[in-house]
Amino acid sequence: MTLSYRVVGSGTPLLLIHGMGLTYSIWENLAPLLSPYYKLIMIELLGHGGSPEIPKNAPYYSANVDGLEAVRRELNIECWDVLGYSMGAWAAQAYCERYPERIDRMAFLCPALFSR
């Protein structure tokens, strides 16, 4: 499953995962500040922005993890740092649980605090 994404900047790869109901446009004010230091990979989770809808009966976070890993492979990134915002932190956590060897550092910004 191909997620919509945008890449800007150079340096250490940093995956930015937006929260529920948002798109990668949430990062438009932050990107100019980080792009001199990081290669920003701003993705859109399934059902958001230009990404496809989640397949029927597919577990949401598992399907997004598949999409995130596909983006990493497509961009030929060995390891990346990950920042998850709000419910995007859950996608980041699910990715880390499945692919811990692909993450150097991880940060959660305003993570949603209820059970998934």
Side-chain angles (χ1 to χ4, degrees):
M1 177 119 353
T2 303
L3 297 178
S4 174
Y5 65 91
R6 181 173 167 225
V7 178
V8 297
S10 59
T12 301
L14 174 59
L15 173 64
L16 299 173
I17 307 174
H18 63 80
M20 191 63 65
L22 301 170
T23 67
Y24 58 55
S25 66
I26 190 172
W27 309 114
E28 67 185 30
N29 292 324
L30 184 61
L33 301 173
L34 296 179
S35 60
Y37 311 100
Y38 293 95
K39 177 179 183 175
L40 303 174
I41 301 94
M42 300 173 281
I43 59 93
E44 293 181 313
L45 295 171
L46 293 171
H48 294 80
S51 288
E53 292 297 320
I54 186 163
K56 193 171 187 142
N57 299 322
Y60 185 74
Y61 291 103
S62 180
N64 275 292
V65 167
D66 294 341
L68 294 171
E69 181 60 9
V71 168
R72 186 199 61 77
R73 286 192 313 265
E74 183 174 314
L75 296 174
N76 198 29
I77 294 171
E78 183 68 26
C79 288
W80 48 12
D81 295 341
V82 178
L83 185 144
Y85 171 68
S86 186
M87 290 185 74
W90 287 10
Q93 178 183 349
Y95 183 84
C96 181
E97 288 170 359
R98 195 179 317 164
Y99 298 104
E101 71 281 3
R102 298 296 182 199
I103 298 175
D104 285 327
R105 292 175 287 197
M106 177 178 284
F108 298 144
L109 180 62
C110 301
L113 295 178
F114 46 89
S115 177
R116 57 179 164 145

